[in-house]
Amino acid sequence: MGVEPQEWAKFLDRCLLARVEGPKFSAFAKTLYNKFPIASFKLANIFLKPRSKSVLTADPLIPSYVECLLALEQISIPDALRTLLGKSRLYHSDEAADSAGHQSQGTDECYNGPELEEILLYRFAKCFTTGSKPKSAHEACSTLKAVASWMSAIVTASTKDEMMQDLAGVGNSTQPEATAVREAVGMLVVALAENERITRFLDGQCPKGTATSYLVCWSLVSSDSVIFSLSSDDSSLLIGYNLCSYTNEIYVRQTFAHSLSLFIPFLSQTSLHIANRLATFQKQYNIYENDASKALGDSMMGGIDVNGLSQLQGIDGVLDGQHLNSRAGLYIYFSAVLVGRPIIDDSMVLNYLSRRYKGDISTLTIDLITISFDLLSNAMYRKEPNQTMFLLRSFLVNKIPAMLTTISNSMFPPLTPEYCITAALNHVDPNIFPSSVLGSGGALSDVRPEFVLACSLHQLIPQESIMTLLDGNDPMGGSQERYVKEELVHQCTMDHERLEVLLGELEKMDGNAGAIVGALTQIIRNLCNTKETLLLKAMCSSLSRRPLSLDVMLLFTSSSELLLPICQVLNNWKFEEDQGEYQPVYEDFGGILLLVLAFVHRFELNITDLGLSNDGSFIARLLAKGSVSQRIDDLSEEQNAHLGGWIRGLFEAEGISDELMSSCPPQDFYLLVPMLFSQSVAACDASVLDLDTLKGGLEFFFETFLLPSLVSAISWLTVQIWESSSSIPILLQTLQSLLKPTSISGDAQSMHQTILSLIANPLEESLLSLRRRDPARFDTQPLFQTLQPYQTFKRTTASTHAELESWTVTHGGGLLASIRNTFQSMVLWSAAPEINLTPPSYTHRQLLVAVKLLGAQRVLGAIIDEVVLQTENGTADLALDIGASLISAPTTIAVGDGRLSLRKVLTLEVEVLRKQGMGVGSEHERAETVVRLSRRVEEALADTPGQQQQVVDELMGDLDAAAVAAAADHDAAAMGLEGAGHLDLGDGAPQGEAEDFDTMLGIGNGSEGLGIFDLGGADGALFDE
């Protein structure tokens, strides 16, 4: 809190303590305002903030003080209305109910009582009845907006009360205090209806014959430049509008009309006479929701070309349409999240959902479940690989129930998770996801039972509801055991064999995967901290053999959270002083490193994804240069010694000794592997080393303590096949011996298969390049056959050749035409998803490959053109949501090499429009689409759910920014009144008034001061902007 709010809060405390009456308060407030100017909404927050939980009745001086501040124009009525509503007990029914249900926990939430609200509402109404307000069109606009919020709040609260009473089986009744506040709001609206300036604002009347001058005015004045003459003569009413004001006024009138239409029926239940007056007012000025914008536009513009004015108005004048959450929008988002490496960060996803649904927990939950089934059925129709089907299935069965558990904390009766789950399953295609018993047949026939059982496991639905949701089937016939992370960690600490069991259960579809991943992540972190490398190697080796388990791990944790502790162990690895044997050390190091390499190669991770910086550490150097051979001249003396030792150990009779390994840490060995192979192949090519000797020496690499280094070795060979021409025969024979060893142990064989999975894709591309260069070569065929079973290891965002070909041959424009066709299918599906349960065929790879091949600008142009087309067809709101979802979808692809993302290109287009104007005709329509798309994307990419409400929060006066003031008994000790101070009112304060102020506060004349002000050191004007 700044110095001004602090001083005003202290001032209020002392005035209440001294029981200062209105006239004297006004004099003091005027003096203090000269010294400490403060924004209206902040001052409203100070004076209207509840002062105590224990006292329901507000201090009777508060309404008097507020009225004085209104007269001094230090507080505006719109700010007072907004602040008063922000802390109303009646109209924060959810929070109030929650507070009542948790009183034992000591909640700090406070609300104003209805008595204060009623008094102030009537006093505000008096200001409009007497004609003293409003004094500007801006104030009129803000007042209507605030009053609309009050009417909407009353309707919402009344609806909730009626629902709760119906559920409780009691008759509908309205509490007297609620009725009193409702009538007070009604009388405030009546006062507005009888205020000439308000009605002129609503009617949009302008002085005749001045349309041309207004156009000039619009182009010159600022958006807040609106002047009302205080004369009662109609002809002296001077108005200067900016076009931004004009569009805002249309929106305010629409909002006011909507709220009034809902409010009148509720008011008629208790105050028929007031409701009748409002109905007459509504009819007289045609304040109906459907005609709001047209009526205001027609009456205000008087035949002026609105499109022409919109062009003058620029970007800020573009009106947003209705915000619709299309089914396709969420479908696109989660398709992008799961297309390659899973990027399911819980806070990111939940923040996105919160921003998108704006508190509509019921729709959020239903859509989240439904879309998860849609993703799985789409993958089935597209014949996606089995590993993709597994990931989407685990996401639905294991991840979604865990997310629903978090979301359910925001649910309040009558809304329950069971209701949302039941409603969502009613939208799922029963032909693909039948309500059958597990194992009854069909590719996805088990998914619905698995999901229901997982929801039951997480206590989202009661056990007895399982049979209802599965049409009388109970697949398990009893309850399952729900794992808890902490218990699993304890079990594995006491019994290491339990670890292998958990690793085997990681791929099960039972809802327990989240707890298992959490436990394994914690165990890995613990083992890294204690440096128990033997057990850590066993865990890492087991995980690296389970590629599907790696996918499940990333559904519940990030790559950096899991792998950073492991990387730090590898970077800092040192031999023990009393190290006996060194081969086990190399074996432990290689087994742990292999898990890091498995993640890196499967998901194309970089050092940032691992949580590392490019600081020259072992892992950073290995990922950057693990397939690069250094020049001999660049090696240090120590590296030369290591290289010579390993060559002698591999190809001479002495073999790999403990002495060699003890002199060369494993980090140095892995960085030397490309150099070691480079020298060996060069020696063979120069006939210094024969081929059989080369193959014999390389057999050492099939031992488990050296086997993981084959990743770097084969990566180097892959690069050489791309670049070399003279050594190809030796390279291919070396590869053949490494890919298909003549003999290998059982443990080494499983590790070798993991290594082949890591290097299969880039090696195959290199061999294909060789075949294209030399079609006559047939010695590559055995290598292709060896690599064939390992081609599906990688999970990347790259498209297959078949996909790319199908998109590029699309009639009417190739790849861009295919994107527009996909866009159209999304719109059709979202318009009536209950009719067509089958989602449109979609993979986010289509958009990513289009951006990569064609550039973001061309792809964005296609999206914008399609939104414009759909706008002409009457589906603008759906198209905007789908377009914004495509542009803002998350991705793991880093933009670089001069390439721009869709988001960046859209931002640049908006900046161009801001500088060069909106154009005319079709150009103007396209420009408006660009602006609307940009706003939707900005909203989707906001950092936190509250960011979009920042302006509203400020207008509401930061109601929750400070603790509630001292209790109503005005305990001086509790209010911190000790200490001395001096009040400097400045040269502008009348001497008598200053002395009176000092006397009231107990300051001056030698008495002990209260220490609440020290204004003497203030420099310059301190304004709250």
Side-chain angles (χ1 to χ4, degrees):
M1 180 184 291
V3 62
E4 293 85 1
Q6 289 179 356
E7 298 301 337
W8 278 92
K10 293 175 184 177
F11 168 62
L12 174 60
D13 289 339
R14 300 322 182 267
C15 288
L16 291 175
L17 184 63
R19 311 310 294 167
V20 177
E21 297 295 333
K24 186 173 289 189
F25 172 85
S26 295
F28 294 152
K30 185 176 181 180
T31 302
L32 185 60
Y33 191 85
N34 291 333
K35 192 66 179 179
F36 285 105
I38 186 172
S40 168
F41 70 88
K42 291 187 178 182
L43 198 56
N45 177 50
I46 293 170
F47 278 80
L48 296 177
K49 183 170 60 178
R51 303 182 62 78
S52 174
K53 264 193 319 184
S54 59
V55 180
L56 298 180
T57 304
D59 193 307
L61 287 175
I62 293 295
S64 175
Y65 290 169
V66 172
E67 193 169 13
C68 292
L69 295 174
L70 287 173
L72 294 172
E73 297 186 3
Q74 295 174 3
I75 287 182
S76 70
I77 289 181
D79 286 335
L81 283 170
R82 281 189 288 261
T83 304
L84 191 63
L85 181 60
K87 281 298 181 180
S88 170
R89 179 179 297 274
L90 291 175
Y91 311 122
H92 283 72
S93 53
D94 288 341
E95 293 88 341
D98 183 63
S99 175
H102 297 81
Q103 287 180 354
S104 61
Q105 299 180 12
T107 176
D108 293 329
E109 193 63 49
C110 301
Y111 302 98
N112 283 318
E115 297 86 357
L116 176 64
E117 297 166 3
E118 182 184 3
I119 293 171
L120 288 176
L121 287 169
Y122 276 113
R123 295 196 181 189
F124 296 157
K126 181 181 177 182
C127 294
F128 292 99
T129 302
T130 59
S132 61
K133 300 287 183 179
K135 292 189 176 181
S136 70
H138 177 73
E139 185 177 12
C141 181
S142 300
T143 301
L144 289 171
K145 198 172 182 179
V147 172
S149 298
W150 270 92
M151 292 190 289
S152 297
I154 289 176
V155 172
T156 301
S158 301
T159 303
K160 289 180 180 177
D161 289 344
E162 291 177 3
M163 288 176 58
M164 297 303 293
Q165 290 169 358
D166 290 340
L167 288 173
V170 298
N172 292 334
S173 61
T174 305
Q175 297 180 352
E177 59 268 27
T179 301
V181 174
R182 186 184 300 181
E183 290 182 353
V185 173
M187 290 306 299
L188 176 58
V189 180
V190 169
L192 297 178
E194 296 174 351
N195 184 283
E196 186 176 6
R197 296 191 179 98
I198 292 291
T199 54
R200 282 184 174 274
F201 178 89
L202 288 171
D203 201 28
Q205 293 181 10
C206 299
K208 296 180 180 180
T210 58
T212 303
S213 62
Y214 286 153
L215 282 175
V216 176
C217 228
W218 278 320
S219 64
L220 295 177
V221 298
S222 67
S223 59
D224 292 329
S225 179
V226 183
I227 306 169
F228 277 84
S229 170
L230 300 184
S231 171
S232 59
D233 185 3
D234 292 346
S235 62
S236 65
L237 190 61
L238 303 177
I239 310 173
Y241 285 101
N242 179 281
L243 253 290
C244 188
S245 301
Y246 164 68
T247 53
N248 186 44
E249 289 154 12
I250 294 178
Y251 168 75
V252 170
R253 194 179 196 277
Q254 289 174 323
T255 303
F256 184 78
H258 173 74
S259 299
L260 183 63
S261 298
L262 296 176
F263 179 66
I264 291 175
F266 277 91
L267 185 62
S268 64
Q269 299 173 10
T270 55
S271 308
L272 184 59
H273 62 292
I274 301 177
N276 288 337
R277 293 176 68 180
L278 294 183
T280 302
F281 163 62
Q282 183 182 37
K283 183 177 181 181
Q284 179 180 356
Y285 291 96
N286 195 30
I287 307 177
Y288 294 98
E289 184 177 4
N290 293 335
D291 300 325
S293 61
K294 182 178 184 303
L296 182 60
D298 291 345
S299 59
M300 287 188 65
M301 303 314 294
I304 298 173
D305 181 10
V306 178
N307 289 331
L309 295 179
S310 181
Q311 294 158 19
L312 289 176
Q313 192 174 357
I315 289 176
D316 295 334
V318 176
L319 290 174
D320 284 327
Q322 181 182 4
H323 278 238
L324 291 182
N325 291 327
S326 67
R327 188 164 173 178
L330 203 60
Y331 181 59
I332 292 168
Y333 178 84
F334 281 105
S335 295
V337 162
L338 297 167
V339 65
R341 163 165 56 104
I343 44 177
I344 306 290
D345 177 79
D346 284 355
S347 60
M348 177 193 76
V349 173
L350 293 176
N351 282 344
Y352 167 79
L353 294 173
S354 177
R355 292 191 298 271
R356 182 173 177 83
Y357 289 92
K358 296 178 174 61
D360 188 353
I361 301 298
S362 175
T363 306
L364 183 159
T365 307
I366 294 171
D367 286 356
L368 178 61
I369 298 171
T370 307
I371 289 301
S372 303
F373 279 95
D374 289 336
L375 293 172
L376 199 50
S377 62
N378 173 60
M380 183 194 71
Y381 284 122
R382 288 182 52 80
K383 298 184 167 116
E384 294 282 357
N386 289 335
Q387 65 175 4
T388 300
M389 298 293 292
F390 171 84
L391 174 66
L392 296 174
R393 189 166 181 167
S394 185
F395 173 72
L396 171 62
V397 177
N398 288 312
K399 183 64 178 181
I400 291 298
M403 293 178 65
L404 295 181
T405 301
T406 302
I407 294 172
S408 66
N409 294 328
S410 300
M411 294 183 182
F412 300 96
L415 183 64
T416 64
E418 182 182 6
Y419 166 79
C420 297
I421 293 169
T422 304
L425 291 178
N426 289 334
H427 294 105
V428 172
D429 191 344
N431 298 316
I432 304 175
F433 304 102
S435 304
S436 56
V437 181
L438 290 170
S440 61
L444 301 177
S445 61
D446 294 344
V447 172
R448 186 191 292 250
E450 288 170 348
F451 174 73
V452 171
L453 291 174
C455 290
S456 174
L457 181 75
H458 285 263
Q459 299 179 350
L460 296 168
I461 57 174
Q463 185 75 22
E464 54 271 17
S465 296
I466 294 177
M467 296 184 66
T468 302
L469 293 172
L470 298 179
D471 295 340
N473 298 309
D474 188 353
M476 300 300 294
S479 60
Q480 301 171 266
E481 178 188 2
R482 182 181 180 184
Y483 288 165
V484 179
K485 168 190 164 183
E486 290 74 18
E487 295 178 359
L488 294 179
V489 172
H490 177 72
Q491 293 170 12
C492 294
T493 303
M494 303 303 295
D495 181 8
H496 293 167
E497 293 182 359
R498 177 69 170 140
L499 263 177
E500 190 63 30
V501 176
L502 283 184
L503 289 169
E505 293 181 353
L506 195 55
E507 298 174 16
K508 293 176 66 175
M509 302 293 170
D510 59 1
N512 273 322
I516 296 175
V517 171
L520 294 178
T521 304
Q522 185 61 50
I523 292 169
I524 288 175
R525 187 177 293 275
N526 294 343
L527 294 176
C528 291
N529 290 335
T530 58
K531 293 184 171 55
E532 296 182 57
T533 57
L534 183 61
L535 185 56
L536 180 60
K537 185 264 293 185
M539 280 190 68
C540 292
S541 298
S542 181
L543 271 175
S544 63
R545 294 193 299 267
R546 307 169 188 265
L548 296 181
S549 294
L550 305 187
D551 297 348
V552 179
M553 295 287 286
L554 291 190
L555 284 178
F556 295 93
T557 188
S558 66
S559 55
S560 60
E561 184 178 2
L562 176 65
L563 298 176
L564 179 58
I566 299 176
C567 292
Q568 290 171 337
V569 167
L570 295 171
N571 287 336
N572 302 320
W573 193 288
K574 294 180 180 179
F575 292 134
E576 299 291 341
E577 293 183 0
D578 57 347
Q579 192 74 52
E581 295 181 90
Y582 291 89
Q583 182 173 316
V585 176
Y586 266 70
E587 188 167 342
D588 290 350
F589 185 92
I592 296 171
L593 176 62
L594 188 59
L595 178 63
V596 177
L597 296 177
F599 270 101
V600 168
H601 283 261
R602 182 168 178 82
F603 303 112
E604 296 184 334
L605 303 182
N606 55 39
I607 58 173
T608 304
D609 298 322
L610 298 178
L612 298 171
S613 59
N614 194 8
D615 55 0
S617 63
F618 163 67
I619 294 295
R621 293 165 63 195
L622 183 68
L623 296 187
K625 299 181 178 180
S627 61
V628 178
S629 173
Q630 296 176 266
R631 295 172 62 248
I632 284 288
D633 296 340
D634 295 334
L635 296 181
S636 66
E637 184 177 345
E638 184 181 37
Q639 288 174 320
N640 260 313
H642 290 161
L643 180 61
W646 281 104
I647 289 176
R648 288 190 296 271
L650 290 173
F651 303 115
E652 295 182 4
E654 59 185 75
I656 308 296
S657 64
D658 266 353
E659 182 181 357
L660 173 61
M661 289 186 286
S662 66
S663 66
C664 181
Q667 298 100 319
D668 292 349
F669 165 73
Y670 276 87
L671 294 174
L672 275 177
V673 167
M675 189 66 180
L676 183 59
F677 270 76
S678 173
Q679 291 296 304
S680 302
V681 170
C684 187
D685 191 36
S687 300
V688 175
L689 193 69
D690 63 73
L691 187 59
D692 290 338
T693 303
L694 175 64
K695 291 181 178 180
L698 297 183
E699 288 182 359
F700 278 104
F701 285 89
F702 298 130
E703 299 294 333
T704 53
F705 69 97
L706 294 183
L707 193 54
S709 66
L710 282 185
V711 175
S712 293
I714 298 176
S715 296
W716 177 83
L717 290 168
T718 299
V719 174
Q720 295 309 302
I721 292 173
W722 277 98
E723 299 176 349
S724 178
S725 57
S726 59
S727 304
I728 291 297
I730 297 176
L731 293 172
L732 294 181
Q733 291 186 64
T734 303
L735 264 177
Q736 182 65 37
S737 65
L738 295 178
L739 298 184
K740 202 167 184 178
T742 54
S743 63
I744 189 170
S745 66
D747 292 340
Q749 186 174 12
S750 62
M751 185 180 289
H752 184 261
Q753 291 172 346
T754 300
I755 292 170
L756 293 186
S757 298
L758 270 57
I759 55 86
N761 290 108
L763 180 55
E764 184 192 39
E765 292 294 330
S766 182
L767 293 172
L768 287 171
S769 173
L770 175 61
R771 177 176 284 184
R772 286 191 292 268
R773 297 199 311 264
D774 188 0
R777 298 198 71 95
F778 295 100
D779 50 353
T780 58
Q781 190 58 35
L783 298 175
F784 283 117
Q785 293 174 351
T786 302
L787 295 174
Q788 185 58 39
Y790 307 100
Q791 293 298 317
T792 59
F793 177 78
K794 296 188 74 172
R795 276 200 58 82
T796 70
T797 57
S799 301
T800 65
H801 293 294
E803 286 177 334
L804 187 56
E805 183 178 359
S806 67
W807 296 327
T808 54
V809 299
T810 304
H811 178 71
L815 189 51
L816 288 180
S818 72
I819 290 178
R820 296 192 64 168
N821 290 343
T822 300
F823 195 111
Q824 293 165 12
S825 65
M826 293 282 191
V827 173
L828 290 174
W829 179 56
S830 297
E834 66 282 352
I835 297 177
N836 186 6
L837 298 178
T838 304
S841 177
Y842 180 69
T843 172
H844 202 63
R845 295 189 295 270
Q846 181 184 19
L847 188 69
L848 296 176
V849 73
V851 172
K852 183 177 182 180
L853 296 179
L854 304 176
Q857 188 168 6
R858 293 184 63 189
V859 176
L860 179 65
I863 293 174
I864 293 172
D865 290 343
E866 193 58 41
V867 175
V868 172
L869 177 62
Q870 296 298 327
T871 300
E872 295 172 355
N873 295 338
T875 53
D877 299 322
L878 288 175
L880 281 170
D881 184 66
I882 294 170
S885 298
L886 289 170
I887 296 168
S888 63
T891 179
T892 59
I893 298 177
V895 178
D897 300 327
R899 292 185 291 117
L900 300 175
S901 67
L902 290 171
R903 306 170 192 174
K904 183 61 176 178
V905 174
L906 181 61
T907 302
L908 293 176
E909 286 216 19
V910 172
E911 290 303 314
V912 170
L913 293 176
R914 191 180 301 278
K915 294 177 181 179
Q916 299 182 2
M918 302 282 288
V920 296
S922 59
E923 290 182 5
H924 181 77
E925 294 176 0
R926 189 181 189 280
E928 287 187 333
T929 299
V930 170
V931 173
R932 293 187 182 106
L933 265 179
S934 176
R935 291 172 181 171
R936 298 291 179 91
V937 171
E938 288 176 2
E939 181 179 355
L941 297 177
D943 292 334
T944 62
Q947 186 171 7
Q948 297 301 317
Q949 296 297 322
Q950 182 177 359
V951 175
V952 177
D953 290 342
E954 291 176 354
L955 290 176
M956 295 296 288
D958 264 339
L959 295 177
D960 299 320
V964 178
D969 59 1
H970 308 293
D971 185 346
M975 293 168 65
L977 304 183
E978 65 276 1
H982 174 67
L983 176 65
D984 179 8
L985 293 177
D987 297 335
Q991 183 63 30
E993 194 169 280
E995 292 176 357
D996 195 11
F997 203 12
D998 282 354
T999 302
M1000 185 272 290
L1001 295 175
I1003 302 174
N1005 299 325
S1007 62
E1008 183 179 1
L1010 299 179
I1012 60 170
F1013 291 104
D1014 184 10
L1015 309 185
D1019 295 326
L1022 302 176
F1023 289 90
D1024 284 309
E1025 292 295 331

